[in-house]
């Protein structure tokens, strides 16, 4: 077909379809980059690739040790999502991921202050995840080229951390020239109808081939991959769900929020990963290094009688809050339950 004029679909359809295949509306996949979704019950060799950090607010940022500062190479991007937001039950990036006020978190804080049901507040919790760039070396379904891998903190990074604890030497694994290939066994967690892969074991092995800096040109900038809504966009989407009654005052999207929950900030999850993919932010903040999973906050108090949590936490409420969650066989049901709230 002769191409005469530039179709208005150009650049849109493919982009859109790629996003579909990613399964996550919150990922803006760069051209030519696919998502690597590990298959359960499989073992695959992955080279974790470093990317050049551009954000001044990377959650792992540590100026003293030169970790994740702009211009440095780093191997993961931690972020948080809220689930079941809006009429489409979308997963959205929590704005605290970039150190900003988040309407969903504010709503949760407000509910907590009002001593609302824990179920209501827990449904608004964040889930921690990480983006990685991996090259699958021996996957039947994936070419050996850079892919984005998006995994729950508890189903992946925790296991990587365990492995790193075994031997400090492993920490070079994402290095271009001295890195290690991570032989990853993905187990199947099977909850209800959903099956998903969780990283069961990682064995670092020597790479057959190392990389040169040239590869960096092909590595997506993880700081730019997340689709992050503005406060107002997220608020509008969020309110659609839980208040039909706001229709009249439904601010199309660009308006000063009248009913903005101006909660005096007391972030439910008391951590503030500062991350931003675009970086216009001026001042990096130093108090950013709480990437340590601290899902043991408060909450031990409650333990329901009809509790279905096999680990004694609260079913439908504590999802992703404990280490146990990583291996929990009712994780998904629990998450779903939580999302319903
Ligand atoms: Zn949030």
């Amino acid at each position: 077909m002769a191409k005469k004029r530039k179709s208005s679909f150009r650049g849109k359809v493919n982009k859109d379809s790629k996003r579909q295949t990613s399964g996550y509306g919150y990922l803006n996949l760069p051209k030519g980059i696919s998502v690597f979704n590990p298959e359960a019950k499989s073992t695959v060799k992955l080279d974790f690739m470093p990317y050049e950090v551009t954000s001044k607010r990377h959650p792992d940022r540590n100026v003293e040790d030169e970790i994740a500062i702009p211009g440095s190479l780093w191997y993961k991007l931690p972020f948080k999502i809220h689930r079941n937001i809006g009429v489409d039950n979308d997963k959205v990036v929590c704005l605290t991921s970039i150190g900003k006020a988040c309407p969903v978190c504010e709503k949760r804080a407000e509910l907590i202050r009002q001593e609302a049901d824990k179920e209501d507040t827990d449904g608004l919790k964040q889930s921690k995840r990480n983006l990685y760039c991996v090259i699958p070396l021996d996957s039947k379904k994936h070419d050996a080229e850079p892919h984005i891998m998006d995994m729950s903190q508890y189903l992946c990074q925790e296991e990587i951390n365990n492995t790193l604890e075994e031997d400090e030497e492993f920490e070079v694994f994402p290095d271009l020239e001295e890195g290690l290939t991570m032989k990853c066994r993905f187990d199947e967690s099977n909850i209800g109808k959903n099956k998903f892969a969780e990283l069961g074991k990682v064995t670092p092995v020597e790479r057959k081939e190392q990389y040169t800096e040239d590869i960096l040109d092909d590595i997506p900038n993880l700081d730019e991959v997340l689709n992050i809504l503005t406060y107002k966009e997220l608020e509008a989407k969020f309110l659609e769900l839980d208040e039909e009654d706001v229709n009249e005052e439904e601010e199309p999207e660009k308006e000063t929020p009248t009913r903005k929950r101006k909660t005096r900030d007391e972030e439910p999850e008391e951590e503030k990963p500062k991350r931003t993919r675009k970086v216009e932010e001026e001042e990096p903040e130093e108090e950013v290094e709480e990437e340590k999973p601290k899902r043991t906050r408060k909450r031990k108090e409650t333990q329901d009688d009809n509790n279905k949590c096999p680990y004694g936490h609260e079913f439908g409420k504590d999802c992703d809050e404990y280490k146990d969650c990583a291996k929990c066989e009712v994780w998904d049901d629990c998450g779903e339950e939580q999302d319903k709230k």
Side-chain angles (χ1 to χ4, degrees):
M1 276 210 286
K3 28 188 172 168
K4 308 211 161 90
R5 64 192 179 86
K6 192 166 171 354
S7 164
S8 65
F9 286 109
R10 214 168 280 288
K12 296 180 186 168
V13 172
N14 274 327
K15 192 171 182 184
D16 176 65
S17 70
K18 278 186 185 138
R19 283 184 51 169
Q20 306 303 336
T21 59
S22 83
Y24 303 106
Y26 57 77
L27 293 185
N28 283 325
L29 296 177
K31 195 160 167 269
I33 300 285
S34 310
V35 168
F36 175 75
N37 281 320
E39 263 182 89
K41 295 197 222 164
S42 73
T43 298
V44 62
K45 289 179 181 159
L46 299 177
D47 282 347
F48 282 73
M49 305 307 295
Y51 76 104
E52 189 174 330
V53 173
T54 53
S55 169
K56 290 182 189 162
R57 294 193 168 195
H58 192 292
D60 291 340
R61 177 188 174 97
N62 179 331
V63 176
E64 204 173 300
D65 296 325
E66 297 186 1
I67 293 171
I69 57 176
S72 68
L73 296 179
W74 195 234
Y75 75 101
K76 66 180 163 83
L77 176 70
F79 67 106
K80 292 178 276 186
I81 60 165
H82 293 289
R83 300 176 187 166
N84 291 359
I85 299 296
V87 287
D88 293 328
N89 288 330
D90 286 335
K91 294 172 184 156
V92 298
V93 176
C94 170
L95 300 185
T96 65
S97 300
I98 54 165
K100 298 206 164 150
C102 170
V104 182
C105 288
E106 287 178 352
K107 175 65 175 178
R108 180 164 182 259
E110 181 184 297
L111 289 172
I112 289 172
R113 267 194 309 278
Q114 294 167 349
E115 302 187 338
D117 273 0
K118 213 170 143 301
E119 304 168 3
D120 293 334
T121 59
D122 286 351
L124 303 178
K125 272 185 183 172
Q126 313 145 316
S127 300
K128 294 175 190 161
R129 305 186 68 81
N130 288 282
L131 292 183
Y132 310 88
C133 176
V134 296
I135 297 184
L137 298 180
D138 57 354
S139 163
K140 286 186 190 116
K141 293 193 175 164
H142 301 85
D143 294 332
E145 55 189 33
H147 287 69
I148 284 174
M149 185 165 81
D150 171 22
M151 295 286 286
S152 141
Q153 168 78 12
Y154 305 101
L155 296 180
C156 184
Q157 185 62 36
E158 295 256 309
E159 189 52 38
I160 293 175
N161 292 347
N162 291 340
T163 305
L164 298 180
E165 276 171 24
E166 285 170 23
D167 186 343
E168 283 187 352
E169 295 294 310
F170 293 156
E171 72 168 352
V172 297
F173 78 93
D175 194 90
L176 286 177
E177 288 156 23
E178 303 176 54
L180 299 164
T181 290
M182 302 295 250
K183 196 170 155 192
C184 297
R185 191 191 77 219
F186 289 95
D187 296 334
E188 181 176 85
S189 292
N190 189 345
I191 290 120
K193 54 245 169 251
N194 292 331
K195 298 179 177 175
F196 55 89
E198 79 176 89
L199 188 51
K201 174 140 185 66
V202 188
T203 313
V205 297
E206 235 174 78
R207 281 184 186 161
K208 289 220 171 76
E209 274 177 70
Q210 293 290 4
Y211 300 86
T212 64
E213 289 202 340
D214 296 343
I215 187 90
L216 291 176
D217 294 340
D218 301 326
I219 305 294
N221 179 354
L222 298 182
D223 292 350
E224 294 181 348
V225 169
L226 292 176
N227 179 19
I228 300 180
L229 301 178
T230 64
Y231 185 100
K232 282 175 195 158
E233 285 168 343
L234 177 50
E235 184 184 46
K237 190 178 179 77
F238 175 49
L239 293 178
E240 244 177 342
L241 171 74
D242 78 5
E243 299 161 35
E244 293 99 348
D245 46 297
V246 290
N247 289 349
E248 331 80 78
E249 49 186 287
E250 185 121 75
E251 351 149 73
E253 66 212 82
K254 296 271 126 81
E255 233 1 281
T256 41
T258 38
R259 70 202 117 74
K260 167 131 136 235
R261 359 324 264 263
K262 241 309 184 304
T263 47
R264 5 337 337 173
D265 261 343
E266 152 213 288
E267 229 25 357
E269 307 267 338
E270 54 286 282
E271 56 185 321
K272 45 253 155 169
K274 307 293 194 252
R275 200 206 61 82
T276 168
R277 70 275 205 220
K278 246 343 181 349
V279 188
E280 299 82 14
E281 259 79 299
E282 1 53 88
E283 244 315 298
E285 267 137 73
E286 255 45 29
E287 12 75 292
V288 193
E289 51 264 23
E290 59 279 82
E291 50 137 334
K292 289 292 164 250
K294 40 151 148 216
R295 56 204 123 46
T296 29
R297 283 169 293 168
K298 52 216 161 172
R299 167 141 323 121
K300 267 161 188 148
E301 343 101 325
T302 38
Q303 218 114 153
D304 283 289
D305 355 80
N306 57 345
N307 200 344
K308 289 187 260 174
C309 175
Y311 297 97
H313 313 302
E314 262 193 285
F315 180 83
K317 300 181 182 176
D318 287 338
C319 193
D320 270 353
E321 289 296 313
Y322 295 90
K323 172 97 179 174
D324 299 325
C325 302
K327 49 179 188 282
C328 178
E329 54 284 9
V330 298
W331 180 81
D332 212 43
D333 283 345
C334 177
E336 256 175 41
E337 183 68 17
Q338 181 168 313
D339 291 344
K340 278 193 231 153
K341 313 291 166 71

